[in-house]
Amino acid sequence: MKLAIMQPYFFPYIGYFQLIHAVDKFVVYDNIKYTKKGWINRNRILRNGEDYTFSLPIKAASDSLDICDRTLSTEFDRNKLVNQIQGAYRRAPFFSNAFPVIEQAIRFQDSNLYSYIFNSITKICDYLGIKTEFIVSSKMKIDHGLKAETKVLALCEEAGASVYINAIGGVDLYSRETFNARDIDLKFIKSKPLEYPQFGAEFLPWLSIIDVIMFNSAESIQAKILNEYELI
């Protein structure tokens, strides 16, 4: 059984969904520290020919809180974000198909940061036909005081994984020998270069999944783009 473990990200890039698609079960970390300078609550879209960063405003709280303990700011204007996405992509070839999915995810009313982002991830997976089973990390019966590689191994064993697939950025974080000693094969997913027309302008790579579904049909993403990676 192939397993991946990742933090939730708001409308992340295609590689995140390739990872979900590549495994049988996907553990979403809800009880891990929120990092405000990371990409948990922000990403990039194409706007007027340039990349534009959008974000979810987070209610001020202790930096020590986990993602599941953080909430969206009461000042979060869902209409404004919906209008920004609409304005940026209304001329995109698959806008009429993709925009309702994005709008529904943005208008989701839960204010918990984890729940809000997780809902958006599942909405995109439904749209792309990804059937991977999701598991919430805090619900798993392990010692949640474990850290780093030791915790990942515990999560793998609890889920019954024989293969653990991590994002390519984690190559230096994990040891194949350590995983092999626990009868788990360690792999890393590397997305292949992806390019598609973006209003005839110079291509901007690795934008939010929003960009991908606006310029590519759900069928072509499912049939080809989700499989454009290699495991190393």
Side-chain angles (χ1 to χ4, degrees):
M1 189 273 287
K2 298 186 290 294
L3 183 80
I5 305 167
M6 287 289 287
Q7 297 173 337
Y9 294 98
F10 189 49
F11 292 132
Y13 83 125
I14 186 62
Y16 191 91
F17 293 95
Q18 289 173 333
L19 179 57
I20 297 174
H21 181 61
V23 298
D24 302 297
K25 296 181 181 181
F26 189 89
V27 177
V28 188
Y29 256 138
D30 66 327
N31 58 340
I32 193 170
K33 184 180 177 182
Y34 166 75
T35 51
K36 60 184 178 182
K37 292 186 178 181
W39 290 90
I40 292 171
N41 61 309
R42 65 191 181 103
N43 217 288
R44 302 179 304 139
I45 58 171
L46 180 67
R47 189 179 184 190
N48 299 323
E50 300 179 346
D51 65 321
Y52 170 80
T53 301
F54 63 93
S55 62
L56 298 172
I58 308 300
K59 183 178 180 180
S62 170
D63 289 342
S64 65
L65 292 179
D66 289 342
I67 296 172
C68 59
D69 296 319
R70 301 303 298 260
T71 57
L72 299 173
S73 170
T74 56
E75 297 178 359
F76 175 34
D77 188 340
R78 288 169 171 77
N79 290 327
K80 180 180 179 181
L81 183 54
V82 166
N83 290 336
Q84 286 177 335
I85 304 298
Q86 184 177 39
Y89 289 105
R90 60 189 173 192
R91 294 186 294 107
F94 297 96
F95 174 83
S96 61
N97 302 94
F99 181 70
V101 180
I102 300 302
E103 181 177 20
Q104 185 180 39
I106 293 173
R107 294 195 185 282
F108 186 57
Q109 288 302 303
D110 199 315
S111 63
N112 178 269
L113 178 62
Y114 168 76
S115 298
Y116 186 83
I117 295 177
F118 181 65
N119 176 73
S120 68
I121 292 170
T122 58
K123 287 289 186 291
I124 296 294
C125 285
D126 288 345
Y127 180 69
L128 298 179
I130 298 174
K131 305 298 185 183
T132 301
E133 177 185 346
F134 287 100
I135 304 173
V136 181
S137 63
S138 63
K139 306 296 185 184
M140 300 181 72
K141 296 178 181 179
I142 67 162
D143 177 1
H144 289 282
L146 296 173
K147 303 294 183 182
E149 184 180 62
T150 306
K151 187 171 185 178
V152 169
L153 284 164
L155 290 168
C156 285
E157 291 179 334
E158 174 64 19
S162 56
V163 180
Y164 174 63
I165 304 177
N166 197 78
I168 192 66
V171 167
D172 296 328
L173 300 178
Y174 304 113
S175 162
R176 292 188 191 276
E177 291 76 16
T178 302
F179 276 79
N180 287 339
R182 307 279 276 270
D183 294 321
I184 301 171
D185 190 14
L186 175 62
K187 300 285 187 181
F188 296 92
I189 190 169
K190 183 179 181 182
S191 297
K192 294 180 180 179
L194 172 65
E195 187 168 335
Y196 47 83
Q198 291 172 325
F199 297 133
E202 182 178 354
F203 183 72
L204 290 176
W206 311 126
L207 298 179
S208 163
I209 189 67
I210 294 172
D211 194 80
V212 178
I213 67 175
M214 290 292 179
F215 290 110
N216 301 272
S217 70
E219 292 76 16
S220 66
I221 297 170
Q222 184 179 34
K224 183 179 180 182
I225 297 175
L226 282 176
N227 300 298
E228 289 294 305
Y229 62 82
E230 58 181 329
L231 296 178
I232 59 176

